[in-house]
PDB file of all heavy atoms in Angstrom:
ATOM      1  N   THR A   1     -12.921  -4.988   8.433  1.00  0.00           N
ATOM      2  CA  THR A   1     -12.175  -3.813   8.232  1.00  0.00           C
ATOM      3  C   THR A   1     -13.080  -2.642   7.773  1.00  0.00           C
ATOM      4  O   THR A   1     -14.121  -2.838   7.309  1.00  0.00           O
ATOM      5  CB  THR A   1     -11.077  -3.949   7.128  1.00  0.00           C
ATOM      6  OG1 THR A   1     -11.675  -4.278   5.920  1.00  0.00           O
ATOM      7  CG2 THR A   1     -10.154  -5.038   7.501  1.00  0.00           C
ATOM      8  N   PRO A   2     -12.654  -1.412   8.015  1.00  0.00           N
ATOM      9  CA  PRO A   2     -13.527  -0.236   7.635  1.00  0.00           C
ATOM     10  C   PRO A   2     -13.805  -0.249   6.106  1.00  0.00           C
ATOM     11  O   PRO A   2     -12.877  -0.353   5.330  1.00  0.00           O
ATOM     12  CB  PRO A   2     -12.645   0.981   8.072  1.00  0.00           C
ATOM     13  CG  PRO A   2     -11.697   0.473   9.074  1.00  0.00           C
ATOM     14  CD  PRO A   2     -11.384  -1.013   8.655  1.00  0.00           C
ATOM     15  N   PHE A   3     -15.052  -0.184   5.787  1.00  0.00           N
ATOM     16  CA  PHE A   3     -15.485  -0.048   4.424  1.00  0.00           C
ATOM     17  C   PHE A   3     -15.005  -1.219   3.470  1.00  0.00           C
ATOM     18  O   PHE A   3     -14.922  -0.980   2.214  1.00  0.00           O
ATOM     19  CB  PHE A   3     -14.999   1.286   3.841  1.00  0.00           C
ATOM     20  CG  PHE A   3     -14.892   2.338   4.942  1.00  0.00           C
ATOM     21  CD1 PHE A   3     -13.674   2.905   5.334  1.00  0.00           C
ATOM     22  CD2 PHE A   3     -16.057   2.779   5.587  1.00  0.00           C
ATOM     23  CE1 PHE A   3     -13.629   3.868   6.331  1.00  0.00           C
ATOM     24  CE2 PHE A   3     -15.915   3.748   6.644  1.00  0.00           C
ATOM     25  CZ  PHE A   3     -14.766   4.269   6.983  1.00  0.00           C
ATOM     26  N   GLY A   4     -14.718  -2.328   3.992  1.00  0.00           N
ATOM     27  CA  GLY A   4     -14.234  -3.422   3.257  1.00  0.00           C
ATOM     28  C   GLY A   4     -12.876  -3.344   2.684  1.00  0.00           C
ATOM     29  O   GLY A   4     -12.435  -4.110   1.803  1.00  0.00           O
ATOM     30  N   ALA A   5     -12.080  -2.351   3.209  1.00  0.00           N
ATOM     31  CA  ALA A   5     -10.735  -2.154   2.675  1.00  0.00           C
ATOM     32  C   ALA A   5      -9.782  -3.229   3.158  1.00  0.00           C
ATOM     33  O   ALA A   5      -9.975  -3.813   4.262  1.00  0.00           O
ATOM     34  CB  ALA A   5     -10.225  -0.773   3.191  1.00  0.00           C
ATOM     35  N   GLU A   6      -8.852  -3.610   2.330  1.00  0.00           N
ATOM     36  CA  GLU A   6      -7.821  -4.592   2.747  1.00  0.00           C
ATOM     37  C   GLU A   6      -6.784  -3.911   3.618  1.00  0.00           C
ATOM     38  O   GLU A   6      -6.318  -2.790   3.367  1.00  0.00           O
ATOM     39  CB  GLU A   6      -7.165  -5.141   1.474  1.00  0.00           C
ATOM     40  CG  GLU A   6      -6.143  -6.211   1.804  1.00  0.00           C
ATOM     41  CD  GLU A   6      -6.228  -7.373   0.747  1.00  0.00           C
ATOM     42  OE1 GLU A   6      -6.688  -7.175  -0.339  1.00  0.00           O
ATOM     43  OE2 GLU A   6      -5.691  -8.400   1.071  1.00  0.00           O
ATOM     44  N   VAL A   7      -6.443  -4.611   4.690  1.00  0.00           N
ATOM     45  CA  VAL A   7      -5.459  -4.072   5.654  1.00  0.00           C
ATOM     46  C   VAL A   7      -4.140  -4.749   5.534  1.00  0.00           C
ATOM     47  O   VAL A   7      -4.003  -5.932   5.482  1.00  0.00           O
ATOM     48  CB  VAL A   7      -6.002  -4.252   7.050  1.00  0.00           C
ATOM     49  CG1 VAL A   7      -4.962  -3.894   8.085  1.00  0.00           C
ATOM     50  CG2 VAL A   7      -7.277  -3.491   7.330  1.00  0.00           C
ATOM     51  N   LEU A   8      -3.124  -3.901   5.327  1.00  0.00           N
ATOM     52  CA  LEU A   8      -1.738  -4.308   5.144  1.00  0.00           C
ATOM     53  C   LEU A   8      -0.870  -3.971   6.308  1.00  0.00           C
ATOM     54  O   LEU A   8      -0.882  -2.750   6.732  1.00  0.00           O
ATOM     55  CB  LEU A   8      -1.124  -3.823   3.826  1.00  0.00           C
ATOM     56  CG  LEU A   8      -1.867  -4.155   2.544  1.00  0.00           C
ATOM     57  CD1 LEU A   8      -1.111  -3.577   1.347  1.00  0.00           C
ATOM     58  CD2 LEU A   8      -2.068  -5.689   2.356  1.00  0.00           C
ATOM     59  N   LYS A   9      -0.048  -4.868   6.834  1.00  0.00           N
ATOM     60  CA  LYS A   9       0.848  -4.553   7.902  1.00  0.00           C
ATOM     61  C   LYS A   9       2.163  -4.154   7.355  1.00  0.00           C
ATOM     62  O   LYS A   9       2.714  -4.873   6.463  1.00  0.00           O
ATOM     63  CB  LYS A   9       0.979  -5.751   8.849  1.00  0.00           C
ATOM     64  CG  LYS A   9       2.005  -5.554   9.894  1.00  0.00           C
ATOM     65  CD  LYS A   9       1.946  -6.768  10.972  1.00  0.00           C
ATOM     66  CE  LYS A   9       2.405  -8.025  10.334  1.00  0.00           C
ATOM     67  NZ  LYS A   9       2.448  -9.140  11.212  1.00  0.00           N
ATOM     68  N   MET A  10       2.712  -3.003   7.767  1.00  0.00           N
ATOM     69  CA  MET A  10       3.929  -2.461   7.315  1.00  0.00           C
ATOM     70  C   MET A  10       4.902  -2.354   8.440  1.00  0.00           C
ATOM     71  O   MET A  10       4.806  -1.404   9.252  1.00  0.00           O
ATOM     72  CB  MET A  10       3.784  -1.207   6.518  1.00  0.00           C
ATOM     73  CG  MET A  10       5.114  -0.682   5.947  1.00  0.00           C
ATOM     74  SD  MET A  10       4.896   0.915   5.051  1.00  0.00           S
ATOM     75  CE  MET A  10       6.539   1.312   4.693  1.00  0.00           C
ATOM     76  N   SER A  11       5.861  -3.279   8.671  1.00  0.00           N
ATOM     77  CA  SER A  11       6.827  -3.145   9.741  1.00  0.00           C
ATOM     78  C   SER A  11       7.777  -1.969   9.471  1.00  0.00           C
ATOM     79  O   SER A  11       8.147  -1.782   8.337  1.00  0.00           O
ATOM     80  CB  SER A  11       7.652  -4.418   9.807  1.00  0.00           C
ATOM     81  OG  SER A  11       6.871  -5.578  10.102  1.00  0.00           O
ATOM     82  N   GLY A  12       8.011  -1.219  10.534  1.00  0.00           N
ATOM     83  CA  GLY A  12       8.887  -0.023  10.321  1.00  0.00           C
ATOM     84  C   GLY A  12       8.151   1.223  10.020  1.00  0.00           C
ATOM     85  O   GLY A  12       8.730   2.297  10.012  1.00  0.00           O
ATOM     86  N   ALA A  13       6.841   1.170   9.814  1.00  0.00           N
ATOM     87  CA  ALA A  13       6.035   2.379   9.583  1.00  0.00           C
ATOM     88  C   ALA A  13       5.906   3.119  10.855  1.00  0.00           C
ATOM     89  O   ALA A  13       6.067   2.559  12.003  1.00  0.00           O
ATOM     90  CB  ALA A  13       4.699   1.996   8.979  1.00  0.00           C
ATOM     91  N   ALA A  14       5.637   4.429  10.766  1.00  0.00           N
ATOM     92  CA  ALA A  14       5.495   5.249  11.889  1.00  0.00           C
ATOM     93  C   ALA A  14       4.254   4.838  12.746  1.00  0.00           C
ATOM     94  O   ALA A  14       3.219   4.380  12.217  1.00  0.00           O
ATOM     95  CB  ALA A  14       5.381   6.707  11.440  1.00  0.00           C
ATOM     96  N   ASP A  15       4.414   4.857  14.101  1.00  0.00           N
ATOM     97  CA  ASP A  15       3.249   4.583  14.937  1.00  0.00           C
ATOM     98  C   ASP A  15       2.180   5.672  14.888  1.00  0.00           C
ATOM     99  O   ASP A  15       2.498   6.786  14.427  1.00  0.00           O
ATOM    100  CB  ASP A  15       3.784   4.414  16.426  1.00  0.00           C
ATOM    101  CG  ASP A  15       4.687   3.248  16.575  1.00  0.00           C
ATOM    102  OD1 ASP A  15       4.541   2.260  15.919  1.00  0.00           O
ATOM    103  OD2 ASP A  15       5.567   3.280  17.551  1.00  0.00           O
ATOM    104  N   LYS A  16       0.949   5.262  15.145  1.00  0.00           N
ATOM    105  CA  LYS A  16      -0.168   6.183  15.254  1.00  0.00           C
ATOM    106  C   LYS A  16      -0.352   6.880  13.946  1.00  0.00           C
ATOM    107  O   LYS A  16      -0.618   8.070  13.876  1.00  0.00           O
ATOM    108  CB  LYS A  16       0.013   7.203  16.377  1.00  0.00           C
ATOM    109  CG  LYS A  16       0.149   6.607  17.806  1.00  0.00           C
ATOM    110  CD  LYS A  16       0.107   7.610  18.871  1.00  0.00           C
ATOM    111  CE  LYS A  16       0.079   6.938  20.280  1.00  0.00           C
ATOM    112  NZ  LYS A  16      -1.143   6.125  20.501  1.00  0.00           N
ATOM    113  N   LYS A  17      -0.228   6.126  12.876  1.00  0.00           N
ATOM    114  CA  LYS A  17      -0.497   6.598  11.501  1.00  0.00           C
ATOM    115  C   LYS A  17      -1.066   5.486  10.677  1.00  0.00           C
ATOM    116  O   LYS A  17      -0.631   4.424  10.728  1.00  0.00           O
ATOM    117  CB  LYS A  17       0.778   7.155  10.927  1.00  0.00           C
ATOM    118  CG  LYS A  17       0.556   7.811   9.519  1.00  0.00           C
ATOM    119  CD  LYS A  17       1.820   8.598   9.088  1.00  0.00           C
ATOM    120  CE  LYS A  17       2.857   7.520   8.553  1.00  0.00           C
ATOM    121  NZ  LYS A  17       3.949   8.246   7.870  1.00  0.00           N
ATOM    122  N   ILE A  18      -2.167   5.803   9.971  1.00  0.00           N
ATOM    123  CA  ILE A  18      -2.795   4.942   9.027  1.00  0.00           C
ATOM    124  C   ILE A  18      -2.883   5.527   7.662  1.00  0.00           C
ATOM    125  O   ILE A  18      -3.375   6.692   7.579  1.00  0.00           O
ATOM    126  CB  ILE A  18      -4.175   4.413   9.533  1.00  0.00           C
ATOM    127  CG1 ILE A  18      -4.028   3.795  10.923  1.00  0.00           C
ATOM    128  CG2 ILE A  18      -4.923   3.580   8.589  1.00  0.00           C
ATOM    129  CD1 ILE A  18      -5.367   3.529  11.631  1.00  0.00           C
ATOM    130  N   ILE A  19      -2.429   4.911   6.723  1.00  0.00           N
ATOM    131  CA  ILE A  19      -2.534   5.380   5.330  1.00  0.00           C
ATOM    132  C   ILE A  19      -3.698   4.673   4.602  1.00  0.00           C
ATOM    133  O   ILE A  19      -3.834   3.521   4.585  1.00  0.00           O
ATOM    134  CB  ILE A  19      -1.285   5.134   4.606  1.00  0.00           C
ATOM    135  CG1 ILE A  19      -0.066   5.877   5.229  1.00  0.00           C
ATOM    136  CG2 ILE A  19      -1.324   5.574   3.109  1.00  0.00           C
ATOM    137  CD1 ILE A  19       1.264   5.596   4.652  1.00  0.00           C
ATOM    138  N   ALA A  20      -4.542   5.463   3.952  1.00  0.00           N
ATOM    139  CA  ALA A  20      -5.648   4.942   3.131  1.00  0.00           C
ATOM    140  C   ALA A  20      -5.418   5.354   1.638  1.00  0.00           C
ATOM    141  O   ALA A  20      -4.978   6.455   1.434  1.00  0.00           O
ATOM    142  CB  ALA A  20      -6.986   5.474   3.619  1.00  0.00           C
ATOM    143  N   LEU A  21      -5.569   4.378   0.762  1.00  0.00           N
ATOM    144  CA  LEU A  21      -5.453   4.759  -0.680  1.00  0.00           C
ATOM    145  C   LEU A  21      -6.384   3.925  -1.554  1.00  0.00           C
ATOM    146  O   LEU A  21      -6.950   3.006  -1.090  1.00  0.00           O
ATOM    147  CB  LEU A  21      -4.028   4.522  -1.074  1.00  0.00           C
ATOM    148  CG  LEU A  21      -3.379   3.077  -0.983  1.00  0.00           C
ATOM    149  CD1 LEU A  21      -3.688   2.214  -2.201  1.00  0.00           C
ATOM    150  CD2 LEU A  21      -1.865   3.187  -0.867  1.00  0.00           C
ATOM    151  N   ASP A  22      -6.535   4.436  -2.762  1.00  0.00           N
ATOM    152  CA  ASP A  22      -7.256   3.727  -3.790  1.00  0.00           C
ATOM    153  C   ASP A  22      -6.248   3.074  -4.689  1.00  0.00           C
ATOM    154  O   ASP A  22      -5.518   3.676  -5.374  1.00  0.00           O
ATOM    155  CB  ASP A  22      -8.116   4.741  -4.565  1.00  0.00           C
ATOM    156  CG  ASP A  22      -9.051   4.032  -5.641  1.00  0.00           C
ATOM    157  OD1 ASP A  22      -8.735   2.858  -5.958  1.00  0.00           O
ATOM    158  OD2 ASP A  22      -9.923   4.640  -6.041  1.00  0.00           O
ATOM    159  N   LYS A  23      -6.145   1.770  -4.612  1.00  0.00           N
ATOM    160  CA  LYS A  23      -5.071   1.006  -5.384  1.00  0.00           C
ATOM    161  C   LYS A  23      -5.254   1.197  -6.852  1.00  0.00           C
ATOM    162  O   LYS A  23      -4.303   0.960  -7.626  1.00  0.00           O
ATOM    163  CB  LYS A  23      -5.116  -0.487  -4.990  1.00  0.00           C
ATOM    164  CG  LYS A  23      -6.394  -1.200  -5.472  1.00  0.00           C
ATOM    165  CD  LYS A  23      -6.227  -2.654  -5.238  1.00  0.00           C
ATOM    166  CE  LYS A  23      -7.388  -3.453  -5.836  1.00  0.00           C
ATOM    167  NZ  LYS A  23      -7.411  -4.907  -5.495  1.00  0.00           N
ATOM    168  N   ASN A  24      -6.380   1.626  -7.378  1.00  0.00           N
ATOM    169  CA  ASN A  24      -6.634   1.774  -8.760  1.00  0.00           C
ATOM    170  C   ASN A  24      -6.222   3.091  -9.281  1.00  0.00           C
ATOM    171  O   ASN A  24      -6.455   3.370 -10.454  1.00  0.00           O
ATOM    172  CB  ASN A  24      -8.165   1.466  -9.056  1.00  0.00           C
ATOM    173  CG  ASN A  24      -8.612   0.171  -8.696  1.00  0.00           C
ATOM    174  OD1 ASN A  24      -7.963  -0.853  -9.041  1.00  0.00           O
ATOM    175  ND2 ASN A  24      -9.603  -0.005  -7.870  1.00  0.00           N
ATOM    176  N   ALA A  25      -5.697   4.052  -8.458  1.00  0.00           N
ATOM    177  CA  ALA A  25      -5.360   5.370  -8.868  1.00  0.00           C
ATOM    178  C   ALA A  25      -4.120   5.914  -8.237  1.00  0.00           C
ATOM    179  O   ALA A  25      -3.664   6.935  -8.696  1.00  0.00           O
ATOM    180  CB  ALA A  25      -6.551   6.362  -8.514  1.00  0.00           C
ATOM    181  N   ALA A  26      -3.469   5.341  -7.214  1.00  0.00           N
ATOM    182  CA  ALA A  26      -2.479   5.890  -6.484  1.00  0.00           C
ATOM    183  C   ALA A  26      -1.099   5.863  -7.094  1.00  0.00           C
ATOM    184  O   ALA A  26      -0.403   6.824  -7.179  1.00  0.00           O
ATOM    185  CB  ALA A  26      -2.523   5.384  -5.107  1.00  0.00           C
ATOM    186  N   LEU A  27      -0.664   4.597  -7.456  1.00  0.00           N
ATOM    187  CA  LEU A  27       0.721   4.437  -7.753  1.00  0.00           C
ATOM    188  C   LEU A  27       0.960   3.652  -9.031  1.00  0.00           C
ATOM    189  O   LEU A  27       0.158   2.866  -9.404  1.00  0.00           O
ATOM    190  CB  LEU A  27       1.422   3.582  -6.580  1.00  0.00           C
ATOM    191  CG  LEU A  27       1.806   4.383  -5.363  1.00  0.00           C
ATOM    192  CD1 LEU A  27       2.126   3.331  -4.222  1.00  0.00           C
ATOM    193  CD2 LEU A  27       2.968   5.244  -5.625  1.00  0.00           C
ATOM    194  N   GLU A  28       2.056   3.961  -9.735  1.00  0.00           N
ATOM    195  CA  GLU A  28       2.525   3.217 -10.901  1.00  0.00           C
ATOM    196  C   GLU A  28       3.920   2.566 -10.498  1.00  0.00           C
ATOM    197  O   GLU A  28       4.730   3.192  -9.917  1.00  0.00           O
ATOM    198  CB  GLU A  28       2.785   4.298 -11.985  1.00  0.00           C
ATOM    199  CG  GLU A  28       3.458   3.597 -13.253  1.00  0.00           C
ATOM    200  CD  GLU A  28       3.895   4.650 -14.254  1.00  0.00           C
ATOM    201  OE1 GLU A  28       4.079   5.811 -13.920  1.00  0.00           O
ATOM    202  OE2 GLU A  28       4.158   4.226 -15.410  1.00  0.00           O
ATOM    203  N   LYS A  29       4.077   1.356 -10.900  1.00  0.00           N
ATOM    204  CA  LYS A  29       5.285   0.617 -10.752  1.00  0.00           C
ATOM    205  C   LYS A  29       6.030   0.641 -12.073  1.00  0.00           C
ATOM    206  O   LYS A  29       5.437   0.357 -13.144  1.00  0.00           O
ATOM    207  CB  LYS A  29       5.079  -0.818 -10.322  1.00  0.00           C
ATOM    208  CG  LYS A  29       6.368  -1.642 -10.165  1.00  0.00           C
ATOM    209  CD  LYS A  29       6.053  -3.045  -9.752  1.00  0.00           C
ATOM    210  CE  LYS A  29       7.322  -3.942  -9.714  1.00  0.00           C
ATOM    211  NZ  LYS A  29       6.979  -5.322  -9.346  1.00  0.00           N
ATOM    212  N   VAL A  30       7.269   1.020 -12.010  1.00  0.00           N
ATOM    213  CA  VAL A  30       8.148   1.027 -13.301  1.00  0.00           C
ATOM    214  C   VAL A  30       9.278   0.020 -13.016  1.00  0.00           C
ATOM    215  O   VAL A  30       9.935   0.004 -12.134  1.00  0.00           O
ATOM    216  CB  VAL A  30       8.729   2.427 -13.495  1.00  0.00           C
ATOM    217  CG1 VAL A  30       9.505   2.399 -14.825  1.00  0.00           C
ATOM    218  CG2 VAL A  30       7.657   3.460 -13.567  1.00  0.00           C
ATOM    219  N   GLN A  31       9.436  -0.873 -14.092  1.00  0.00           N
ATOM    220  CA  GLN A  31      10.510  -1.847 -13.905  1.00  0.00           C
ATOM    221  C   GLN A  31      11.265  -2.066 -15.201  1.00  0.00           C
ATOM    222  O   GLN A  31      10.716  -1.967 -16.296  1.00  0.00           O
ATOM    223  CB  GLN A  31       9.992  -3.266 -13.458  1.00  0.00           C
ATOM    224  CG  GLN A  31       8.942  -3.882 -14.364  1.00  0.00           C
ATOM    225  CD  GLN A  31       8.442  -5.189 -13.804  1.00  0.00           C
ATOM    226  OE1 GLN A  31       8.500  -5.424 -12.597  1.00  0.00           O
ATOM    227  NE2 GLN A  31       7.885  -6.060 -14.656  1.00  0.00           N
ATOM    228  N   ALA A  32      12.604  -2.190 -15.093  1.00  0.00           N
ATOM    229  CA  ALA A  32      13.405  -2.473 -16.239  1.00  0.00           C
ATOM    230  C   ALA A  32      13.734  -3.962 -16.282  1.00  0.00           C
ATOM    231  O   ALA A  32      14.716  -4.391 -15.643  1.00  0.00           O
ATOM    232  CB  ALA A  32      14.704  -1.636 -16.124  1.00  0.00           C
ATOM    233  N   GLY A  33      12.883  -4.666 -16.904  1.00  0.00           N
ATOM    234  CA  GLY A  33      13.058  -6.118 -16.927  1.00  0.00           C
ATOM    235  C   GLY A  33      12.489  -6.717 -15.690  1.00  0.00           C
ATOM    236  O   GLY A  33      11.986  -6.089 -14.783  1.00  0.00           O
ATOM    237  N   GLY A  34      12.602  -8.048 -15.586  1.00  0.00           N
ATOM    238  CA  GLY A  34      12.068  -8.797 -14.417  1.00  0.00           C
ATOM    239  C   GLY A  34      13.272  -9.180 -13.523  1.00  0.00           C
ATOM    240  O   GLY A  34      14.131  -8.307 -13.187  1.00  0.00           O
ATOM    241  N   VAL A  35      13.339 -10.308 -12.951  1.00  0.00           N
ATOM    242  CA  VAL A  35      14.472 -10.815 -12.175  1.00  0.00           C
ATOM    243  C   VAL A  35      15.620 -11.050 -13.051  1.00  0.00           C
ATOM    244  O   VAL A  35      15.563 -11.824 -14.040  1.00  0.00           O
ATOM    245  CB  VAL A  35      14.125 -12.112 -11.403  1.00  0.00           C
ATOM    246  CG1 VAL A  35      15.300 -12.648 -10.675  1.00  0.00           C
ATOM    247  CG2 VAL A  35      12.939 -11.859 -10.507  1.00  0.00           C
ATOM    248  N   LEU A  36      16.797 -10.381 -12.843  1.00  0.00           N
ATOM    249  CA  LEU A  36      17.979 -10.426 -13.620  1.00  0.00           C
ATOM    250  C   LEU A  36      19.043 -11.336 -12.937  1.00  0.00           C
ATOM    251  O   LEU A  36      19.294 -11.152 -11.757  1.00  0.00           O
ATOM    252  CB  LEU A  36      18.495  -8.985 -13.945  1.00  0.00           C
ATOM    253  CG  LEU A  36      17.514  -8.064 -14.518  1.00  0.00           C
ATOM    254  CD1 LEU A  36      18.107  -6.701 -14.623  1.00  0.00           C
ATOM    255  CD2 LEU A  36      16.977  -8.529 -15.823  1.00  0.00           C
TER     256      LEU A  36
END
C-alpha cells in the first residue's frame, strides 16, 4: 500500500474517492457504557 498505510474497504462508500487519515489525530469515539 502507499506509504505503508493500512487499507480499509468500506461498502457503500462513493466510487472514485479515497479517504486518507491519521488515525492518531482524526477522530474521537464517545460511548455511554458498553454493550447494554
Side-chain angles (χ1 to χ4, degrees):
T1 63
F3 329 114
E6 184 142 16
V7 174
L8 303 180
K9 178 173 64 176
M10 182 180 175
S11 300
D15 293 331
K16 297 187 177 298
K17 185 171 75 171
I18 298 171
I19 298 174
L21 60 83
D22 185 341
K23 69 176 183 180
N24 299 310
L27 280 168
E28 173 191 19
K29 177 183 177 182
V30 182
Q31 62 183 20
V35 175
L36 307 175

